[in-house]
Every structure is written in structure tokens, then in C-alpha cells.
Amino acid sequence: MPEDPPRPRLDRKALATALNAVETMGDAPLSEARAAIIDDAWAHPRGRAIGVTGPPGVGKSTLCGRLVQRWRSQGLTVAVLCVDPSSRRGGALLGDRLRMRLDGSDPDVFVRSMAARGRLGGLAPRAFEAVTVMRAAADVVLVETVGVGQSEVEVADLVEVTAVVIQPGSGDALQFLKAGLMEVFDRLVVNKSDLGALASNAARELRAALRLQGRREVPVHLVSAEDGAGIDVLADALADGTPDPGRRGDALRRLMVDRFRAWHGERIVVALGGYAALVEALAGAPDRDTMTPGAAWEALESRLRG
Amino acid sequence: MSTPTRRDEPWVMRTYSGHSSAAASNALYRENLARGQTGLSIAFDLPTQTGYDADHPLALGEVGKVGVPISHVDDMERLFDGIPLERMNTSMTINATAPWLLALYIAVAERRGIPRAQLAGTTQNDLVKEFLSRGTYMLPPGPSLALQTDLIAFTTRELPSWNPINVSSYHLQEAGATPVLEVSFALANAFAVLDAVRARPDMDAATFSKVCGRISFFVNAGIRFVEEMVKLRVMGRLWDETLATRYGITDPKARRFRYGVQVNSLGLTEQQPENNVYRIALEMLGVVLSKGARARAVQLPAWNEALGLPRPWDQQWSLRLQQIMAYETDLLEYGDLFDGSVEIARLEAKLTDEVQAELAWIAARGGVAEAVLSGALKERLVAANAERLRRIERGEQVVVGANRWTESARSPLLGDDGGIMQVDASAEAAQVDALRAFRAGRDSMRVSEALERLSEAAHGAAGFTLMEASIAAAHAGVTTGEWGEVMRRTFGEWRAPTGVTAGGVAGGASAGLEAARLRVAEIARDLGRPLKLLVGKPGLDGHSNGAEQIAVRAMELGMEVVYQGIRLTPIQIAAAAEEEGVHAIGLSILSGSHLALVPEVLAELARREVAVKVFVGGIIPEADREPLLRMGVARVFTPSDFDLTRNLVALAEAVLA
């Protein structure tokens, strides 16, 4: 029996070039050349994207570093997008790369840090495009957001599965639950299990709260990014599964309409029947799950002409 | 006068030195002792300080640079050839690998038949300040502090004349700490050390009192010498009071505040370097004038430290200053000159209040270890240093020759060789060859048995056993890298918080910041995105203060900064540049290894076809500037380029060009 061909390694050069092009786009809508890069990547998804979010200081970066190590030990190639806040004056200190405590010389790990550049929502302006090209390059794409508050949950639109990380004893978890925002999260992670009873109590309270909301299927993980406890189970659960075209399509449609609206103005969107109607129209297209960003853009523009 | 005046004994006089090889350093020590030095202060190279052998990839370019390489017991033997250990007072600036270097020292003594109890000296052995500013840590904080405590317990039992720890505030001032921060961080650290020692099951009250009597401090003294003297008087009083009240130490001798000093290098200038001679003399006044707070041991830097490595003559010149102060002046003939001074008492009261407030702030953050782990202390240091630099840039803090009265004739002291020591470039290769020959000649069975026992001792975590196992390993011919490897395998490695955060920036804008911001924004528009800069330190040099300030200022100017930290290989730097899509890399190198490391980074970037501008900053002798530029470095920045804003605008312009 012939052996499987060796898995191609990460094409670092191509990924670096594509990401540099993506980052240099500024706020303009897609130019044709750049749309081509992204459309091509969009058409060839390879990996599953995983979002990690949670309040500042909860240990997201250290946790992400542990997840990467686990996936690498399984031979998976990994691309990581780290989003850090920008200062109000525009500069940024991108420190997640260091906080992940990775070795830094593994050719099959690729970490790109992006500044939020004043944008709310926990992501960088070109995060969607960056995740798209990363997804075409690596087996697993990990997206670490800016430490978010309760209203900043956009990452869930970009990825197949989202984990929210919570600090034991902080009260954050219950706030998230009360605000009804837990719906966008697939897994809850209580970090710092090395704290002992404080952490296990937090996990128990979360499970109870989820039951009350009728969401008992949401798993709660108790882990320690510091000593590595519980990481393997979490990493395997997150990486288990294939790219989800339906969910990816939903995100694409919403995002393209957002950009379209921002560019042409709310007036035009209203004239065409409103935001919801446009999303609906894209969802009704025959190629709804294979539609590229370029094609979605054209479909919207053709409505304007028609 | 007919009766001879009774004079106090002068302090121990040392010079921090060591370079190239054990044999070369031994010759230097003998020369220094012959010139009247009364103790030794050993500078180890960075591979030795961080537990790597001379042939490890991270050791490239660092062997014999900032100190002497000691790879095994024969190196240590050679270092002290002809020097009587039983009569010497030896201070070793060694921290992460302190148990190992002390084990080698003891092994040499045992080879010579000298009882352990006759050994006198100091191991620095202060890991907290390594995490905060000096950067030669090896293990995570938990095991680092456990090893630190083990060594203290061991020497208290076995080497009663040894100072097992030099709680160091020196490096905090070099990192920009104000006197308040320096005193409070150091005292909080020392109290944490005592708490850890007292909590050991093998510690009884009598032994604990002995430990207290052997704790010593290693402080800094800057140019504001009145303030520095007040600082030391306050430190001494707080130490004495706290040992009595909080730790119940009744023996006043065990409560005495004992400290050695190396005066400030941070304020020494590359411009008009001869002025540094005056600065060093004035800085020394702060630690000798007041008899009640006088240093036990003094080390002075050389006038040309900001230019490169000092030569033996430069060190001799500094030693002569100590001798003139002790033997020509009348300083040692009087009691304390300042007791009863109203003005000094007022300054002491003010500083004491500020220190108490700061100690409460640290306690509120869970104590010194927690505040280090969370990065809270580091952020305070980075912010304090940023404020210091801003004051110099704005001219509010006068630095003669740097930001005032900068006109100068060329100093004849610089001579034809640039006025610094040229390190023998073949020293590294020679050390690597000698190490490999040593390894080949060992009894390999005995070595692997010793490593096995060392590993067991490390896992058992019983400090007495670990020290004894290390001494046995030293006798068996284990190397520094092998010892370090056992520790890393057992306890894991660690990267400390950097303190580089947007929140760490305090105070007002520096001169020209607004205009610079506009220019950087224009350049960003031309580039199509904000300028992205990678800042990192290749090699083993852990002095990250400069790199941190560059990162923070670049962020203030609107750049997007990836701060990669310390102890990076060329591959790690090039890989990060590729992944991050940066426009420029800023490399900070203070250890003198730039001519070895920079070409490696450039070659790795070329191999990956990463087109990026590379900038180098640090202690770069003028003669090395041209070679670096010819290799392809875009610009070289040295200590005389103290205006960070201007440097970064120059960097941005070069990226656009």
C-alpha cells in the first residue's frame, strides 16, 4: 500500500506576501488585484479557524501558546493572528507574540500580530482577509482577539469555533451570560485551574448558569495555561472538525454588506431595501456556500445598477 | 600633631573584571592585587551566567566578552592560579548559576585542601532583580527562588564567612529607578528572601539570626550624591528597625546594614568621556562620606565604559581614586559628619515616608514575587526610565557635554585605538577548542553518574543535596552547560514580563514629539500602512532597558511595534520579521558581540528573502560603525544618540528611502 504523500509544510513565503498585501489595503474596498488574492484563498480553505477571546489579563496568550504546542505535537501546521489594541494616538505595542512563549524557530508555526487601529469589536480592520489567507495556508488558524468587553464578540463571525476564556472569581462569566452574549460562544474555558477551589467553583457556577439558560450542551473546560493542565483535551476538541462553509458564508455575507454600506453610505443600503434584505438576498443565491467575496460584491453592485 | 590619628579601616577595594579566558583574567587579577586592590570581583561571561557551554548556539559571539568564561572545574582552578583562596575575599556576580559557580569554587578549594569554613566572599544570587532588569535568569520564578534560598541555607551551615546573597538595588537604578523605587524594591525583595528562609523546616531561631547577619546589599550611587547618601542612611535604619520588629532579631550585629557598591554607569557619557572621571569621584562621595552608612566594599567603573570595554590602565585609574580617598584625605579620621544635621534629617524623613508608601503599594500587589510576575514592578521601572530620558531630551536634567556645553576638542585620551580594550577575537574559538578537549579527556562514566545524581537532587528539591550534588559534579568534570541543562530539564525555562505596555508610558510629551508624529504619519501614508518595527536583543545580553525605551517611544510616535524581548537567536529574529511583515528591525546589543551577531541575522534574513531595513543600537565602538554599515546595516546608534525621537524619525526616513 502506498504511503500518503507527506503533508506539505507551511508555505511561509506565500503567506507572508499575502498578509503584507492584505495589511497594505487601508480602508478602501477591495481592489481587483487584492480581491483576486483573497478570492483565491477563499476558494481553497485548508484549515479550521478557532477564535479565542476573553477579558484582558485572563491569560489568553499563554493559553494560545499551549494550544499551538499541542497541535504542533500532532504534526499540524498552525497560523496565528494576534490582535492588540492601538493607543489613542495611533501606535501599538504588539506583545502577544512574546506572551505566547513559543520557541520562535519552528517553520510550521506562523504568527502575525495586527493592531486594532482604533476599531472596536476585538479585531483588526483586515482580520477577515488575514484569516482567509491563513486558512488557505495552515491546518489550524488561531485568532486571539484584543481583550474584549461584553459587546465585542466579532471574532465569532470569522471562525468555526469560538472559545471564551474566563478568570475564576472575576464575575465576568455571569456578566457575559446575563447579557445573552454567550450564544456566540461554543466553549467556555476557565483558566488558572492551579488556583484550586476558586477555579473549580467558577466552573461549577458556569455550568449551573448554562443549565438555567437551556444551554447545557456548551462545554466548560477547566485548564491551566501556566502548568498545562487540561490543555490537550481543549486543543483536541477545538481542532476536531472540518471547515464549515455555511458558517463561513454567513460571516462573508454580513461582512461584505458591512463594508459595502460603509463605502456607499447608509442611504444607498436603505434605497436597496435595507441591511437585512441585502443579507437575505445574498443568502438566497444558488451558490450561497461557494460564493467568493468578489462575487458577493458584484452581486450587490448589480442590484444598484438594476 | 604628636600622637598618630586613629583612622578607620578602609572599605574593601575591588574592580569588577574578567574577560577572554581564565588565564587572561588570572593575570589581570594578580596585576590588580599587586596594585593595591584588596578583594576580587569576578565578572563572568554571559554563557556562564545563563548556564550554557561555550559551543552552544546562543553563546555565539558572547564567549569571553563581558566577563570570563568558566566551563568546568579546571577553568576555575586556572582563574585562581597563585591566588590564596583561604585569604581572599571573592565577590562573584553570578545569579541563575550561582549554586554551580560556588560549587566549582568549593571544588577548587577542596582540591587544594582548604576547609570550606575558610572561604570568604559573596555570591550575588539575587534572582528578583534578574527578572526586573538584568535579564540573566534561567528558570521560572518559583524554582529560581527555591534555588536562591537553598544556597543561603547551605552557606549558613557550611561557609559561615560567606555572604550568600547580595540583594541588589544597583541594577534597578541602572534601569532608571528613582531613589524611592530603588530602596523600596530592594527592601521588599530582601524581606521576601527572609520570609522564604524563615519558612524552611530546617530553620531555627539561632540559625535564622545568623542568616540575617550574612545578608548583604549591592547598591548604586548616582551623581546626586547628597540624595544618595540620605538614601543609604534611610535604608540602613529601615533594615535595622524591621529586623528587630518584624523578625525579632535581638543581636544588633546581625541587624547591621551591610552593603557593597558599584557607582553609577548610567550617567556616564560617551561625549567628552574624560568628564566621567569627575562624575565617578562625586558618586563615590555618596557611599563613603557618612560613617554610619559607609560601604563595606567599593567598585568604581572606568571613565570609558560608555565607549567599550575598559583596559587595565583605565581600571587602575579608578582604583587610584579609591586609594586617594582612603589614604590621602582625612575622611577616615572622624565620626559621622551628618548626625544631627537638620537638613539631612528632613530629607531622611521625607524619603522614609515615600518608601513606606511604596512598600505598601508592593504589599497591596501580593508582595514582591507577585508584583514581578504580573509585570507591575517592571512597568514602574520602564515608566521611570522613560521619564528620566524625557527630562534629558527636554534639557530639564543637565548632562554636561551631552545636552549642555557640547562643544569640545577631541579628547587626546582616545588615542589611536579609540581608548578602549580590543578583545582578542580568537578567545571564543580557543575556549571552544579547550572545552571540547576537556570533554574528551573526562571519565565519561563518572560524569554521567554525577549528572544522574544531580538530576535526582534537583527533583528532590532538597537544597543541601543539590549543592552537594553540584560539588560532586564539579569534581567529576561536569560542564556549566550540562549543569544548566539538568536544571532547565527539571524546572523549565522562563521569559519575564517586559514592562513594555502602552500603560507604562507616563508624563508629558518630549520635545518635538508632535512634529515627529506628523512626519511618521506621512511616512505611513506613503507606505500604505503604519510603519511596523521589530525590536529585539540577539545573543545572551539581558540589559533590555534601552530596547524597552525604543519600543515605547516608537509606539508613542505612531509605529506598530513588535517587541520580541531578549536572548534571541538569529533564526528567531528573522522568522519573526518574516511572519510579522515588519518594515524595519531594531537590534540592541550591549555586550560587545555585535560584529559576530549582526552578520548572522543579516544572513538569515537574506536566506528567507525578507527585505527589511536593519538598525543596530548599543555600545558600539566608533571603529565598528563602518564595518556594520558595509555589511548592510542601515544606521548605527550609540549612547551619544540620546534623543530617541530623533533616532526613530531617522529610522522612518531610512525605511522610506
Side-chain angles (χ1 to χ4, degrees):
Chain A
M1 202 170 88
E3 282 186 30
D4 286 342
R7 187 186 285 279
R9 315 301 281 170
L10 201 59
D11 186 346
R12 300 174 60 85
K13 186 90 206 137
L15 182 53
T17 308
L19 285 171
N20 291 351
V22 159
E23 280 215 80
T24 316
M25 292 194 309
D27 293 328
L30 298 184
S31 75
E32 255 178 58
R34 279 165 184 151
I37 295 176
I38 293 156
D39 285 359
D40 183 57
W42 183 265
H44 302 100
R46 171 197 189 86
R48 191 171 152 85
I50 293 154
V52 172
T53 185
V58 72
K60 290 189 294 295
S61 298
T62 316
L63 177 71
C64 286
R66 289 277 186 182
L67 293 173
V68 171
Q69 280 166 6
R70 170 66 178 175
W71 292 323
R72 287 296 303 129
S73 75
Q74 297 168 325
L76 300 169
T77 58
V78 186
V80 186
L81 177 66
C82 298
V83 185
D84 275 302
S86 294
S87 79
R88 274 179 301 174
R89 304 301 301 265
L93 283 166
L94 309 171
D96 288 341
R97 156 178 291 274
L98 189 63
R99 284 192 289 270
M100 283 200 294
R101 301 184 201 163
L102 293 169
D103 166 60
S105 53
D106 180 347
D108 286 318
V109 176
F110 192 108
V111 180
R112 171 65 59 110
S113 314
M114 282 186 173
R117 297 186 191 159
R119 196 174 170 285
L120 299 175
L123 292 177
R126 292 291 157 189
F128 171 79
E129 287 82 357
V131 169
T132 302
V133 298
M134 282 181 160
R135 206 201 290 261
D139 298 325
V140 184
V141 177
L142 185 61
V143 183
E144 186 194 334
T145 71
V146 172
V148 293
Q150 292 167 32
S151 62
E152 298 162 327
V153 294
E154 265 185 7
V155 65
D157 277 349
L158 291 192
V159 298
E160 270 81 7
V161 54
T162 307
V164 61
V165 189
I166 279 158
Q167 168 113 3
S170 64
D172 288 330
L174 296 179
Q175 288 303 320
F176 275 105
L177 282 173
K178 266 196 260 170
L181 288 164
M182 278 306 179
E183 288 154 41
V184 300
F185 299 124
D186 307 288
R187 282 173 190 275
L188 291 179
V189 180
V190 178
N191 192 16
K192 308 191 183 177
S193 66
D194 40 301
L195 292 178
L198 189 61
S200 49
N201 288 343
R204 203 170 43 245
E205 281 169 26
L206 274 175
R207 289 196 185 100
L210 284 165
R211 270 200 303 280
L212 279 177
Q213 295 207 335
R215 297 200 67 215
R216 62 173 68 230
E217 79 285 359
V218 175
V220 178
H221 292 262
L222 191 56
V223 307
S224 166
E226 208 49 56
D227 65 26
I231 295 293
D232 290 358
V233 173
L234 174 65
D236 295 354
L238 289 172
D240 180 29
T242 52
D244 178 347
R247 187 160 180 170
R248 203 166 68 113
D250 287 345
L252 165 69
R253 286 184 286 278
R254 277 196 294 273
L255 191 80
M256 286 303 118
V257 176
D258 277 347
R259 296 236 167 113
F260 187 78
R261 180 174 59 184
W263 192 251
H264 291 291
E266 183 68 18
R267 200 169 55 82
I268 298 173
V269 175
V270 170
L272 291 177
Y275 178 82
L278 290 177
V279 173
E280 197 55 33
L282 289 181
D287 57 345
R288 55 171 289 156
D289 290 338
T290 53
M291 180 186 273
T292 67
W297 189 257
E298 266 180 33
L300 290 167
E301 279 194 315
S302 70
R303 287 179 77 87
L304 188 60
R305 283 192 294 273
Chain B
M1 270 216 242
S2 52
T3 51
T5 319
R6 213 182 64 81
R7 294 177 63 89
D8 290 322
E9 273 296 302
W11 48 90
V12 175
M13 297 179 192
R14 297 186 172 119
T15 310
Y16 181 58
S17 52
H19 67 92
S20 302
S21 68
S25 302
N26 175 261
L28 177 65
Y29 297 162
R30 292 212 224 178
E31 204 173 270
N32 287 347
L33 290 168
R35 288 173 185 168
Q37 198 174 287
T38 52
L40 289 175
S41 171
I42 316 294
F44 295 100
D45 73 356
L46 289 167
T48 305
Q49 292 188 47
T50 48
Y52 294 104
D53 277 338
D55 55 355
H56 189 280
L58 270 173
L60 176 79
E62 306 279 19
V63 178
K65 281 279 165 34
V66 303
V68 58
I70 297 296
S71 301
H72 46 73
V73 67
D74 285 3
D75 279 346
M76 192 65 110
E77 173 103 68
R78 208 161 297 128
L79 186 66
F80 290 97
D81 185 28
I83 297 172
L85 294 187
E86 65 277 23
R87 293 201 305 275
M88 191 43 56
N89 190 317
T90 306
S91 173
M92 300 191 220
T93 298
I94 198 73
N95 295 279
T97 53
W100 175 241
L101 273 298
L102 180 60
L104 289 172
Y105 191 76
I106 291 171
V108 170
E110 289 179 347
R111 274 185 178 183
R112 296 185 189 175
I114 301 165
R116 290 178 182 180
Q118 283 186 22
L119 298 178
T122 306
T123 34
Q124 196 165 76
N125 192 34
D126 170 9
L127 274 298
V128 164
K129 66 92 177 48
E130 296 296 328
F131 294 125
L132 274 179
S133 71
R134 194 165 168 274
T136 66
Y137 48 80
M138 178 168 80
L139 308 175
S144 291
L145 297 180
L147 257 60
Q148 175 181 303
T149 315
D150 286 344
L151 194 151
I152 296 169
F154 171 83
T155 62
T156 306
R157 213 175 277 115
E158 298 282 314
L159 281 70
S161 303
W162 197 265
N163 300 317
I165 182 170
N166 232 349
V167 177
S168 301
S169 74
Y170 172 83
H171 312 85
L172 305 178
Q173 184 176 121
E174 290 295 306
T178 60
V180 179
L181 292 182
E182 195 189 334
V183 173
S184 43
F185 287 13
L187 286 179
N189 183 9
F191 298 147
V193 168
L194 289 184
D195 290 341
V197 170
R198 191 165 57 166
R200 288 175 66 94
D202 59 355
M203 201 50 58
D204 56 61
T207 317
F208 183 69
S209 178
K210 275 190 211 153
V211 170
C212 291
R214 298 275 13 139
I215 303 276
S216 64
F217 287 79
F218 183 56
V219 310
N220 203 327
I223 193 75
R224 293 170 57 82
F225 67 90
V226 178
E227 188 176 71
E228 294 291 20
M229 186 189 75
V230 169
K231 172 185 88 182
L232 290 158
R233 289 169 62 97
V234 166
M235 236 172 139
R237 186 163 319 131
L238 286 173
W239 180 245
D240 177 80
E241 281 171 12
T242 314
L243 286 188
T245 54
R246 181 163 148 191
Y247 296 97
I249 305 298
T250 48
D251 176 7
K253 265 176 74 183
R255 295 200 307 259
R256 203 173 289 161
F257 177 63
R258 302 155 65 247
Y259 75 93
V261 65
Q262 163 106 15
V263 306
N264 183 295
S265 285
L266 186 64
L268 303 186
T269 60
E270 183 184 355
Q271 303 93 329
Q272 305 177 25
E274 61 280 0
N275 298 343
N276 294 329
V277 173
Y278 301 135
R279 292 195 177 97
I280 293 164
L282 293 167
E283 287 171 350
M284 188 181 179
L285 292 179
V287 296
V288 295
L289 276 184
S290 167
K291 181 176 177 179
R294 187 170 292 151
R296 295 292 183 104
V298 176
Q299 303 175 174
L300 300 180
W303 66 282
N304 53 353
E305 272 203 2
L307 306 175
L309 285 178
R311 301 158 297 189
W313 176 81
D314 304 313
Q315 297 196 328
Q316 174 197 310
W317 198 8
S318 287
L319 174 64
R320 293 293 182 251
L321 168 57
Q322 294 207 46
Q323 291 163 332
I324 291 167
M325 188 83 80
Y327 297 105
E328 289 191 19
T329 76
D330 54 348
L331 178 68
L332 296 180
E333 295 170 14
Y334 312 119
D336 197 286
L337 303 173
F338 300 93
D339 287 353
S341 154
V342 175
E343 186 66 0
I344 294 295
R346 186 184 66 79
L347 292 172
E348 285 174 358
K350 178 167 176 289
L351 182 61
T352 304
D353 287 348
E354 290 168 346
V355 168
Q356 298 288 18
E358 199 64 42
L359 285 170
W361 183 88
I362 294 170
R365 267 141 202 86
V368 87
E370 262 311 305
V372 167
L373 273 180
S374 70
L377 286 187
K378 182 72 184 176
E379 281 172 32
R380 295 288 303 277
L381 278 184
V382 172
N385 201 19
E387 178 55 23
R388 186 187 68 86
L389 286 172
R390 259 194 292 268
R391 286 172 47 79
I392 293 174
E393 286 172 355
R394 286 195 294 240
E396 293 166 10
Q397 181 172 332
V398 173
V399 184
V400 173
N403 67 1
R404 288 279 281 280
W405 302 292
T406 55
E407 295 307 309
S408 171
R410 185 175 189 280
S411 169
L413 285 178
L414 295 177
D416 295 332
D417 59 354
I420 52 169
M421 177 146 105
Q422 307 298 329
V423 176
D424 178 4
S426 64
E428 179 158 329
Q431 180 71 13
V432 168
D433 287 347
L435 172 64
R436 291 189 172 146
F438 175 85
R439 280 205 203 103
R442 299 182 297 182
D443 176 347
S444 57
M445 275 298 285
R446 200 175 156 216
V447 170
S448 47
E449 276 170 25
L451 285 171
E452 188 57 37
R453 273 198 302 280
L454 189 63
S455 178
E456 284 165 15
H459 279 101
F464 190 75
T465 321
L466 183 61
M467 270 312 295
E468 292 296 354
S470 297
I471 294 165
H475 280 298
V478 165
T479 66
T480 299
E482 289 165 342
W483 186 87
E485 194 48 41
V486 169
M487 296 304 135
R488 280 187 283 267
R489 224 178 29 237
T490 310
F491 299 113
E493 290 183 67
W494 174 253
R495 286 284 157 95
T498 62
V500 178
T501 64
V505 183
S510 58
L513 198 65
E514 240 358 275
R517 237 185 225 138
L518 288 173
R519 182 64 194 130
V520 171
E522 272 171 22
I523 290 171
R525 266 197 298 283
D526 289 342
L527 293 170
R529 61 178 165 128
L531 197 154
K532 199 170 180 184
L533 171 69
L534 179 76
V535 178
K537 288 179 66 64
L540 288 170
D541 166 31
H543 291 87
S544 53
N545 312 322
E548 288 152 5
Q549 293 305 322
I550 291 282
V552 170
R553 182 62 56 80
M555 190 273 302
E556 289 181 286
L557 288 173
M559 299 183 193
E560 295 182 350
V561 184
V562 180
Y563 181 66
Q564 208 184 355
I566 65 167
R567 226 178 278 179
L568 303 167
T569 63
I571 288 179
Q572 287 170 327
I573 292 168
E578 180 183 42
E579 292 172 20
E580 295 290 359
V582 295
H583 299 101
I585 302 177
L587 299 175
S588 161
I589 309 173
L590 279 71
S591 64
S593 53
H594 44 275
L595 287 181
L597 289 171
V598 172
E600 294 285 322
V601 173
L602 294 172
E604 190 57 36
L605 287 167
R607 200 178 67 71
R608 294 164 186 260
E609 299 171 40
V610 178
V612 58
K613 292 255 167 52
V614 176
F615 300 80
V616 177
I619 310 278
I620 313 287
E622 193 49 44
D624 293 348
R625 184 189 294 271
E626 267 308 308
L628 287 172
L629 295 175
R630 269 201 307 278
M631 282 172 205
V633 169
R635 287 273 310 250
V636 174
F637 299 106
T638 70
S640 67
D641 303 302
F642 63 89
D643 187 331
L644 299 185
T645 300
R646 189 155 43 170
N647 298 347
L648 283 160
V649 171
L651 178 148
E653 300 284 0
V655 165
L656 197 58

